[in-house]
Amino acid sequence: MLDLVRFELKKLLARRTSQVVAVGVLALLCVIMALNVVQTKTRSDAGEIVGGTAAIAQQKARAEAHEGVLTVERVQEEVAAYKALAFSKVDPAQVEGLNAEAAYTLMNEAYSEDEFRAIYDTYFSYLLSPWITGGLEQYQVAAQLGDEDVAGFYGAVAAMLQRALDDGMGGTWTFSDAERAYWTDKQAGVGEPLAYGYAGGWADVMACIGFLAFAMVAVCVVLTPVFAGEYQDRTDAVLLAARYGRSKLVAAKIVASLLFATAYFALATAVIMGVALAFFGAEGGDLPVQVLGLGIPYDLTMAEATWTAVGLGYLMTLGLAGLTLLLSSKLRSQLAIFAACAALIFLTGMIPSGGSGALQHVLYLFPINALNDQVLYNALVSYPVGPLVVDLVGLLAVAYALVLVVCAPLAARAFRRHQVM
């Protein structure tokens, strides 16, 4: 059996098309991740735009300057310090009643460029985010906050989730009572107090995890001829007539295909994670995933959230591999098989869905949409079935595992029962 598996692996890798696509996609991922580093931009303390490793170092220094546990007492101190900074030249009452544009103009005129940049520090945007509503600027929100308001920091974080549920994905989805209870309980399970710090490498992996879709396409291309190639080359009659043609050989094809999918996915993941963690740093993996956004209702660390996303990507790859094998066992046209797989991976990301929450829920089940750091943990995507609620993470895991479990045996069965012409 092992010899048959090795033989099938060699057949997979011997095809010129497979070699070009497999190597080409890995090279493309290397280029993408290199550009990801080079094109990182930020403004230095001196006001200059810096890029690449200098920008990463600047981002790291800024985050580390505020690292630590966000106790209520610390939040109160930080907000008080921000108010002293933001209203050293402007009376808070002056900005409260203005619209965002007028308030911005007032502050911009009152402060120097360096002072104004400090007022817009991303850390304070993060810290004040539970109270920011209605398009107000962060200093307008700070002007309205009293000590009692700030003392209720974690209550404001919980209230932020409720506002998101009321908003219903921009008014396109009405959360059921079961969904609201599910997300409320999930948010209540997040440990307090939270911690803040630098986790740039893990955040970058999360931002780039969607590029694994290219690896999935490469896997589909390589596996397309597993059965369809035998039909086109007219070797199916010989294989099926052999002693183990309908048993061990078919099993070897399935096993070899899944082994290739696993190895290739591991290589693609190593490129994405390796470059991101090498240049942006591997520290911060133990920080809560809420460093990406206070409203995230998952009790996970950055490392756990990242590896969960990678695990989902792996299940998607195996599921698509199983689907490709099934199509390969049913169709003779390799182009049609590839087109179907590419459409499921990429074209589902191009369908306009902004006005329909139901359509969004469907499209989120496909790789290019699901492996998006703004969707997987942030978007509150859930699927209610009566009192039962499954979130996007859980449904993706179950759905793609089910696709693999169903499609792989069906592919073997279809090839065994294939009528030789």
Side-chain angles (χ1 to χ4, degrees), residues 63-330:
E64 289 180 341
H66 299 288
E67 67 181 1
V69 178
L70 295 177
T71 61
V72 171
E73 293 75 18
R74 178 187 166 182
V75 173
Q76 289 177 310
E77 292 174 1
E78 296 277 27
V79 172
Y82 177 76
K83 291 170 74 172
L85 171 69
F87 303 119
S88 60
K89 295 182 179 180
V90 173
D91 191 317
Q94 288 182 269
V95 301
E96 282 191 58
L98 299 176
N99 61 40
E101 183 178 355
Y104 180 90
T105 301
L106 175 64
M107 298 289 285
N108 193 31
E109 292 175 349
Y111 293 93
S112 68
E113 183 179 346
D114 290 342
E115 292 171 330
F116 192 62
R117 191 181 310 118
I119 291 172
Y120 265 97
D121 188 291
T122 55
Y123 170 69
F124 293 115
S125 300
Y126 170 84
L127 204 62
L128 293 166
S129 61
W131 295 285
I132 296 177
T133 59
L136 294 177
E137 297 289 345
Q138 61 196 54
Y139 39 79
Q140 290 180 286
V141 171
Q144 300 171 6
L145 293 177
D147 291 339
E148 292 184 1
D149 298 316
V150 181
F153 175 71
Y154 286 103
V157 171
M160 183 166 54
L161 173 72
Q162 296 305 313
R163 289 198 301 272
L165 293 173
D166 291 338
D167 179 64
M169 300 176 67
T172 63
W173 183 261
T174 300
F175 286 97
S176 67
D177 291 340
E179 286 179 286
R180 296 182 71 96
Y182 174 84
W183 288 115
T184 300
D185 290 344
K186 202 165 188 64
Q187 198 278 331
V190 175
E192 297 176 7
L194 298 171
Y196 183 83
Y198 179 76
W202 299 99
D204 192 64
V205 173
M206 290 287 291
C208 295
I209 205 77
F211 292 124
L212 287 173
F214 289 108
M216 296 177 196
V217 170
V219 168
C220 291
V221 170
V222 174
L223 300 188
T224 290
V226 169
F227 297 116
E230 307 293 2
Y231 303 152
Q232 289 188 344
D233 296 339
R234 298 186 181 279
T235 55
D236 52 332
V238 176
L239 295 178
L240 291 172
R243 180 179 179 183
Y244 298 114
R246 295 180 185 271
S247 55
K248 291 184 179 180
L249 180 60
V250 177
K253 284 180 174 292
I254 301 293
V255 172
S257 298
L258 297 182
L259 284 176
F260 170 79
T262 299
Y264 194 80
F265 179 85
L267 286 174
T269 302
V271 170
I272 292 175
M273 294 191 69
V275 173
L277 295 179
F279 284 92
F280 288 85
E283 59 267 53
D286 58 341
L287 290 172
V289 71
Q290 283 72 25
V291 297
L292 296 178
L294 286 169
I296 297 175
Y298 285 87
D299 189 23
L300 297 170
T301 65
M302 286 295 292
E304 289 170 346
T306 301
W307 283 113
T308 298
V310 170
L312 288 175
Y314 177 54
L315 282 175
M316 290 179 183
T317 302
L318 291 183
L320 289 167
L323 178 61
T324 303
L325 291 173
L326 178 58
L327 293 175
S328 181
S329 69
K330 294 285 189 178

Side-chain angles (χ1 to χ4, degrees), residues 9 38 50-51 59 93 100 112 131 210 225 237 252 259 263 334 374 387:
L9 276 172
V38 173
V50 295
Q59 292 173 349
S112 68
W131 295 285
L259 284 176
Q334 296 185 37
Q374 295 303 311

